[in-house]
Amino acid sequence: MTLTAPPTPTWRAWLLDDAPASPRQAWCGRMYRGWLHFRRNPLAVSGLAMALLLIVVAAVGPALAPHGPYEQTLDSRLLPPGSPGYLLGTDELGRDILSRVLYGARITLTIVVLVAIIVAPLGLLVGTVAGYAGGIVDTVLMRLTDIFLAFPRLILALALVAALGPGIENAVIAIAITSWPPYARIARAETLTIRRSDFIAAARLQGASPWRIVFGQVIPLCTSSVIVRVTLDMSGIILVAAGLGFLGLGAQPPSPEWGAMVSSGRKFLLDQWWVATVPGFAIFVVSLGFNLLGDGLRDVLDPRHGG
Amino acid sequence: MAFDIVNGAAATPPRPQGDGRRPRHAVARHGGAVLRVAATLAFTLLGLLAVTFFIGRVVPIDPVLAAVGDRVNAATYERVRVELGLHLPLWEQFLRYIWAALQGEFGESVLTSNPVLDDIRRVFPATLELATVATVIGVVLGVPAGVIAATRRGTWIDHVIRVLGLAGYSVPVFWLGLMGLLVFYARLDWLPGPGRIDLFFEGMVEPVTGVILIDSALAGEWDVFRSAAGHLVLPASILGYFSLAYISRMTRSFMLEQLQQEYITTARIKGLSERAVVWRHALGNAWVPLVTVIALSYGTLLEGSVLTEIVFSWPGLGFYITNSLLNADMNAVLGGTIVVGAVFIGLNLMSDILYRLLDPRAR
């Protein structure tokens, strides 16, 4: 028996192996190929960078901020950008705008994440159950979805916040109530395409219960479309939340929420333009980042929409 | 703004239902479609009313106290409570609520002390004017942009249109409006500031339709017309940009779908000019789903103009609803929500019907 040392496997070769030895290797390989595809799209990569920037700033922003978000220095009110110690200027109470924007990233990220973790599972559950069960369950659930889908989103969120009272939690609830239906639609459409597949039949013949099939076989396959949708929805969620903040119905002052900051800067727009411009630009960058990222992810995960 | 970018129902043109599994008689199918449309309309409106009814119940404002003030004795309080029907079981209250809403009874606005419906009639034309001009801008610029992006797929011009479109989805409308005012009104002084018309011209034209552009043209007051048009430019362009972003993107994807079809190859082999192939043959077929997209985006603009109206002090429905909301005038808020919702639902259905009418395959 000759002992020839096997060629030292590089991690790259392991990832791109055509005959993966384990499900884990296959999964990692698929992710890696997706990443290689994704990397070729400069717009998507820049979107990813902007989204990561939001997360990093939300995590370490307070450490970077030169001042506290509520720290008022009444001597230095409405200083223009570039003033010593205040890179992006100050607002009407002498608070450092840069610091407030950095702190505000946390609020934005919190809202987006909370809405996403309410909405995606809810829509996924409604859609897969409707699609898999069919019949009367499908009809009832989809009618309900259609009713919610037919509502004007911002107006309904406005009315809900009016009823529940302003504040971040209620803004999250209002946005979540108005944004789950598209997820249910997507999940149902995906479920309908796979419910007659052989592997579903195999699971059923092995005696798996419908719930087990929905959770074990159907939901994992719907996840990639839902992830794309979540990413593309992020920007919409950010904009509605900021809009509610701007109207005074979301986060309440003095909280450094970006929409509320734009609203307070509106009073000084003509002479001190930076007070409203800077936080609005932050909203724009983050929301554009998520849109670019979602666009790129869609090309990778959902080749039918390619282009 | 809640534009639906990807495969949400709002973005996908409605497919004829029934999956084509059972071939049915044409007349029966038509009758069925009409019935289904009517049923959907009824269901959705009922759902809308249920939601606003529910919201009206959870509001921490006592409707009796709102009507009589908080210094009444128990007997009067009880009498008013019965008059308002609040002693009835919930389902009966809901039935009464539906009945009143169907007759356009949304109660009185606390703020203006007019019936809410009268207020809405007064402010709605302003919103309609804004959304219509914005949609025209969106169609006139968005459709050609989408066609060009589809025919030059992958080139720099496609990327530019794509990024401009994505930017349109991403920018907060209230911020863009403020920036527009800052640049074009405050700095360059090219355009008039907020409001619908110069104060000087206020009330000079008798409202006939409520749409100032039409009213002033009918009256031959061209100064008023110019002032109104000037005030319209900025808010309509900003809303139109959103519409453009959505329409150009959908046009591009519909055109790509059409350009892959075999009849396009046939047309090319026949020796038609590229221009005729793209603009007449391919776009001609892409119009069918596009019409539904445009109807949907029109509905979204009607509701989406809330923030724009606030920024530009535009006295429309969004301004009215928000203003009432900040003054805890729930009748006005819920009445406005129902009207916007009903218009939105109506446009949704109209786009569905248009799709059936325009696409011979769906007939």
PDB file of all heavy atoms in Angstrom, chain B residues 10-21:
ATOM      1  N   ALA B  10     -49.391  44.448  -5.800  1.00  0.00           N
ATOM      2  CA  ALA B  10     -49.554  45.747  -6.418  1.00  0.00           C
ATOM      3  C   ALA B  10     -48.673  45.873  -7.649  1.00  0.00           C
ATOM      4  O   ALA B  10     -49.001  46.574  -8.586  1.00  0.00           O
ATOM      5  CB  ALA B  10     -49.220  46.828  -5.426  1.00  0.00           C
ATOM      6  N   ALA B  11     -47.528  45.160  -7.621  1.00  0.00           N
ATOM      7  CA  ALA B  11     -46.608  45.315  -8.740  1.00  0.00           C
ATOM      8  C   ALA B  11     -46.927  44.350  -9.874  1.00  0.00           C
ATOM      9  O   ALA B  11     -46.699  44.660 -11.028  1.00  0.00           O
ATOM     10  CB  ALA B  11     -45.185  45.093  -8.254  1.00  0.00           C
ATOM     11  N   THR B  12     -47.432  43.205  -9.533  1.00  0.00           N
ATOM     12  CA  THR B  12     -47.713  42.244 -10.586  1.00  0.00           C
ATOM     13  C   THR B  12     -49.101  42.511 -11.130  1.00  0.00           C
ATOM     14  O   THR B  12     -50.034  42.672 -10.372  1.00  0.00           O
ATOM     15  CB  THR B  12     -47.711  40.815 -10.016  1.00  0.00           C
ATOM     16  OG1 THR B  12     -46.952  40.826  -8.829  1.00  0.00           O
ATOM     17  CG2 THR B  12     -47.153  39.842 -10.993  1.00  0.00           C
ATOM     18  N   PRO B  13     -49.222  42.598 -12.412  1.00  0.00           N
ATOM     19  CA  PRO B  13     -50.565  42.775 -12.950  1.00  0.00           C
ATOM     20  C   PRO B  13     -51.400  41.586 -12.554  1.00  0.00           C
ATOM     21  O   PRO B  13     -50.917  40.462 -12.527  1.00  0.00           O
ATOM     22  CB  PRO B  13     -50.342  42.827 -14.454  1.00  0.00           C
ATOM     23  CG  PRO B  13     -48.994  42.260 -14.681  1.00  0.00           C
ATOM     24  CD  PRO B  13     -48.205  42.502 -13.450  1.00  0.00           C
ATOM     25  N   PRO B  14     -52.633  41.852 -12.220  1.00  0.00           N
ATOM     26  CA  PRO B  14     -53.494  40.766 -11.779  1.00  0.00           C
ATOM     27  C   PRO B  14     -53.642  39.711 -12.861  1.00  0.00           C
ATOM     28  O   PRO B  14     -53.830  40.035 -14.027  1.00  0.00           O
ATOM     29  CB  PRO B  14     -54.818  41.458 -11.502  1.00  0.00           C
ATOM     30  CG  PRO B  14     -54.735  42.765 -12.192  1.00  0.00           C
ATOM     31  CD  PRO B  14     -53.306  43.139 -12.251  1.00  0.00           C
ATOM     32  N   ARG B  15     -53.517  38.484 -12.469  1.00  0.00           N
ATOM     33  CA  ARG B  15     -53.698  37.388 -13.417  1.00  0.00           C
ATOM     34  C   ARG B  15     -55.152  36.978 -13.393  1.00  0.00           C
ATOM     35  O   ARG B  15     -55.761  36.984 -12.345  1.00  0.00           O
ATOM     36  CB  ARG B  15     -52.856  36.191 -12.992  1.00  0.00           C
ATOM     37  CG  ARG B  15     -51.404  36.457 -13.106  1.00  0.00           C
ATOM     38  CD  ARG B  15     -50.698  35.569 -14.090  1.00  0.00           C
ATOM     39  NE  ARG B  15     -49.433  36.223 -14.403  1.00  0.00           N
ATOM     40  CZ  ARG B  15     -48.383  36.146 -13.618  1.00  0.00           C
ATOM     41  NH1 ARG B  15     -48.412  35.414 -12.551  1.00  0.00           N
ATOM     42  NH2 ARG B  15     -47.291  36.796 -13.926  1.00  0.00           N
ATOM     43  N   PRO B  16     -55.650  36.622 -14.530  1.00  0.00           N
ATOM     44  CA  PRO B  16     -57.013  36.080 -14.522  1.00  0.00           C
ATOM     45  C   PRO B  16     -57.021  34.838 -13.647  1.00  0.00           C
ATOM     46  O   PRO B  16     -56.137  33.997 -13.752  1.00  0.00           O
ATOM     47  CB  PRO B  16     -57.272  35.737 -15.981  1.00  0.00           C
ATOM     48  CG  PRO B  16     -55.927  35.726 -16.635  1.00  0.00           C
ATOM     49  CD  PRO B  16     -55.068  36.664 -15.857  1.00  0.00           C
ATOM     50  N   GLN B  17     -58.037  34.775 -12.761  1.00  0.00           N
ATOM     51  CA  GLN B  17     -58.052  33.641 -11.848  1.00  0.00           C
ATOM     52  C   GLN B  17     -58.729  32.450 -12.499  1.00  0.00           C
ATOM     53  O   GLN B  17     -59.269  32.543 -13.581  1.00  0.00           O
ATOM     54  CB  GLN B  17     -58.771  34.032 -10.558  1.00  0.00           C
ATOM     55  CG  GLN B  17     -57.881  34.938  -9.739  1.00  0.00           C
ATOM     56  CD  GLN B  17     -58.674  35.681  -8.695  1.00  0.00           C
ATOM     57  OE1 GLN B  17     -59.842  35.437  -8.518  1.00  0.00           O
ATOM     58  NE2 GLN B  17     -58.012  36.593  -8.013  1.00  0.00           N
ATOM     59  N   GLY B  18     -58.700  31.332 -11.809  1.00  0.00           N
ATOM     60  CA  GLY B  18     -59.348  30.135 -12.331  1.00  0.00           C
ATOM     61  C   GLY B  18     -58.333  29.177 -12.932  1.00  0.00           C
ATOM     62  O   GLY B  18     -58.659  28.051 -13.243  1.00  0.00           O
ATOM     63  N   ASP B  19     -57.077  29.648 -13.111  1.00  0.00           N
ATOM     64  CA  ASP B  19     -55.962  28.816 -13.553  1.00  0.00           C
ATOM     65  C   ASP B  19     -56.207  28.099 -14.869  1.00  0.00           C
ATOM     66  O   ASP B  19     -55.407  27.277 -15.282  1.00  0.00           O
ATOM     67  CB  ASP B  19     -55.618  27.749 -12.503  1.00  0.00           C
ATOM     68  CG  ASP B  19     -55.444  28.383 -11.124  1.00  0.00           C
ATOM     69  OD1 ASP B  19     -55.142  29.582 -11.073  1.00  0.00           O
ATOM     70  OD2 ASP B  19     -55.630  27.683 -10.143  1.00  0.00           O
ATOM     71  N   GLY B  20     -57.298  28.368 -15.534  1.00  0.00           N
ATOM     72  CA  GLY B  20     -57.565  27.728 -16.813  1.00  0.00           C
ATOM     73  C   GLY B  20     -57.780  26.233 -16.699  1.00  0.00           C
ATOM     74  O   GLY B  20     -57.646  25.509 -17.664  1.00  0.00           O
ATOM     75  N   ARG B  21     -58.084  25.773 -15.486  1.00  0.00           N
ATOM     76  CA  ARG B  21     -58.231  24.329 -15.336  1.00  0.00           C
ATOM     77  C   ARG B  21     -59.535  23.844 -15.953  1.00  0.00           C
ATOM     78  O   ARG B  21     -59.562  22.854 -16.646  1.00  0.00           O
ATOM     79  CB  ARG B  21     -58.169  23.945 -13.863  1.00  0.00           C
ATOM     80  CG  ARG B  21     -56.789  23.488 -13.443  1.00  0.00           C
ATOM     81  CD  ARG B  21     -56.748  23.285 -11.946  1.00  0.00           C
ATOM     82  NE  ARG B  21     -56.754  24.567 -11.270  1.00  0.00           N
ATOM     83  CZ  ARG B  21     -57.167  24.726 -10.021  1.00  0.00           C
ATOM     84  NH1 ARG B  21     -57.619  23.713  -9.333  1.00  0.00           N
ATOM     85  NH2 ARG B  21     -57.136  25.919  -9.469  1.00  0.00           N
TER      86      ARG B  21
END
